[in-house]
Amino acid sequence: MENEVRVVLFGLGPMGKLIAKGILEKKGVRIVGAVDIAEEFVGKDLGEILDLGKNLGVTVTDNAEELLSRIKADIAVIATRSYLKEVYPTISLCVKAGINVISTCEELSYPYYKYPELAAEIDELAKKYGVTVLGTGINPGYLMDTLPIVLTGACQRVESIKVTRMMDSSKRRIPYQKKIGTGLSPEEFKRMTDEKKITGHVGLTESIAMIAAALGWKLDEIKEFPPEPVIADREIVTSYTTVKPGQVAGLKSIAHGIKDGKPVIILEFISHAAVEEEYDAVSIEGVPRIHEKIAGGVHGDIGTVAVIVNMIPKVLNAKPGLVTMKDLPLPSAITEDVRVYLGWRKH
């Protein structure tokens, strides 16, 4: 088979590197460019940055415009920031270059609720240039929105949905442990949440809005509560630090979708170093009642890489515009050459 899918990468942080390696494991897809602003990466071969022991012939650059002017790419994978306004310039640049976009940006997973005007602008721009834009990942993008949406397919009636993600943060990357306040005092945690340096889990609002849209529910409001610290009652050793009793072991983020004055969509994201049982659970009250539990949970990094890579052919097959996971065919694993999954192509 010819005509490999050509990918350009934006962002080579911990997640971006994992995505790059995930792409390299697949047949029928090739990385043709990489962009990062880190001085220690610029000018180096991507293979060196990924510690592959070989060069890939892809030199990392911090000049995205120059790169896109001289390469041809089918899709850009943007793994940089969580907030849409910060990622929008990169999305716009890629779209205007005629390149499809798939991004880990949490707010892009369902931007219509917080940013209706910007969402409309992205949709219009993507249609103008004949490309598709998707924000996704393991969460938001799959576990706390797409999965519960699919589970409601077996229901005649849905009254409420509760999703809980319980994660042992001690197994996660050091940047992640820092992000949730591991090892802080309760006072430091409060100060950092007040300063928005600890924000809790980004994307709960987007997941609730996506679920409501899929069910045709008009919500009164989406209420996202400030992150709560989980305090250690024993000493816990992680790869990042030793958490002493009374210090912060992690956090809990909760959001409610309110309809007719009561919560009908409840999302709980709980991540700390003292978790005894990891799991992902969806409970649907309705006819019939459904309770699904993934024992052990889904590893966040591995799952994010999988969702991003597996959605590449679905984005390439989609009609132009801004799309969300509820708009595309059901997510599924790529087990063969990527090109096997491609139907009509925009390029």
Side-chain angles (χ1 to χ4, degrees):
M1 300 178 75
E2 298 180 354
N3 300 320
E4 291 178 306
V5 174
R6 298 159 298 186
V7 179
V8 58
L9 304 173
F10 287 81
L12 294 172
M15 199 68 249
K17 289 179 183 178
L18 290 174
I19 292 171
K21 290 179 178 179
I23 291 171
L24 291 171
E25 291 177 358
K26 300 299 180 181
K27 296 179 180 179
V29 60
R30 178 164 54 97
I31 298 172
V32 296
V35 179
D36 197 280
I37 59 174
E39 291 183 5
E40 63 269 27
F41 291 169
V42 176
K44 291 184 178 180
D45 188 272
L46 180 61
E48 180 183 352
I49 293 171
L50 299 179
D51 296 321
L52 298 181
K54 64 178 181 180
N55 286 348
L56 297 175
V58 176
T59 301
V60 178
T61 179
D62 59 357
N63 190 334
E65 292 187 23
E66 188 276 333
L67 174 68
L68 297 188
S69 71
R70 61 179 171 82
I71 67 165
K72 289 185 177 181
D74 299 299
I75 192 163
V77 175
I78 304 173
T80 53
R81 298 184 180 276
S82 299
Y83 300 103
L84 183 55
K85 289 184 178 179
E86 297 175 351
V87 179
Y88 175 73
T90 304
I91 296 171
S92 176
L93 181 68
C94 293
V95 168
K96 290 178 180 178
I99 301 171
N100 299 279
V101 171
I102 186 168
S103 176
T104 60
C105 173
E106 286 93 333
E107 289 191 334
L108 182 62
S109 65
Y110 197 86
Y112 307 101
Y113 182 80
K114 285 184 181 176
Y115 307 106
E117 293 181 359
L118 187 55
E121 185 175 332
I122 294 172
D123 183 56
E124 182 179 349
L125 194 66
K127 288 175 178 175
K128 177 180 178 180
Y129 287 92
V131 298
T132 304
V133 177
L134 172 71
T136 192
I138 195 64
N139 188 45
Y142 186 82
L143 286 173
M144 299 185 85
D145 38 46
T146 302
L147 181 58
I149 288 170
V150 172
L151 289 173
T152 66
C155 296
Q156 295 180 5
R157 187 173 71 249
V158 176
E159 297 168 0
S160 66
I161 298 172
K162 181 179 180 180
V163 186
T164 301
R165 182 152 165 76
M166 185 73 70
M167 293 174 51
D168 179 0
S169 63
S170 67
K171 301 177 182 179
R172 296 294 302 274
R173 295 175 279 112
I174 289 175
Y176 177 81
Q177 293 188 47
K178 290 182 179 180
K179 184 178 178 181
I180 64 171
T182 308
L184 296 179
S185 68
E187 295 76 20
E188 289 172 324
F189 184 92
K190 185 178 187 311
R191 176 176 57 80
M192 292 186 73
T193 54
D194 290 343
E195 295 173 355
K196 305 299 183 183
K197 292 180 180 178
I198 293 178
T199 58
H201 183 68
V202 181
L204 295 182
T205 293
E206 285 71 21
S207 291
I208 288 176
M210 189 192 303
I211 293 171
L215 296 179
W217 284 354
K218 185 176 181 180
L219 299 177
D220 303 336
E221 64 173 322
I222 296 176
K223 184 181 294 185
E224 189 167 349
F225 299 90
E228 302 175 19
V230 176
I231 306 301
D233 58 6
R234 57 182 173 82
E235 184 172 284
I236 307 164
V237 179
T238 80
S239 59
Y240 167 51
T241 188
T242 297
V243 182
K244 297 179 180 179
Q247 292 183 329
V248 175
L251 56 73
K252 177 190 294 186
S253 288
I254 298 174
H256 291 174
I258 310 295
K259 183 175 181 286
D260 298 327
K262 61 181 181 180
V264 293
I265 304 173
I266 301 171
L267 303 187
E268 295 181 337
F269 178 87
I270 304 166
S271 181
H272 58 85
V275 166
E276 295 182 358
E277 180 193 8
E278 291 189 282
Y279 63 86
D280 292 295
V282 179
S283 295
I284 302 171
E285 293 296 329
V287 179
R289 297 176 65 188
I290 292 177
H291 180 71
E292 170 271 346
K293 184 176 182 179
I294 302 175
V298 177
H299 191 284
D301 291 350
I302 295 172
T304 294
V305 172
V307 174
I308 292 292
V309 176
N310 290 332
M311 293 307 295
I312 287 176
K314 297 185 190 298
V315 169
L316 292 176
N317 284 337
K319 293 182 179 180
L322 171 64
V323 298
T324 71
M325 290 293 283
K326 77 174 186 60
D327 305 317
L328 296 175
L330 291 175
S332 55
I334 293 175
T335 60
E336 303 290 339
D337 189 306
V338 172
R339 292 165 292 187
V340 169
Y341 306 91
L342 294 177
W344 64 275
R345 293 287 301 279
K346 293 185 280 286
H347 303 316

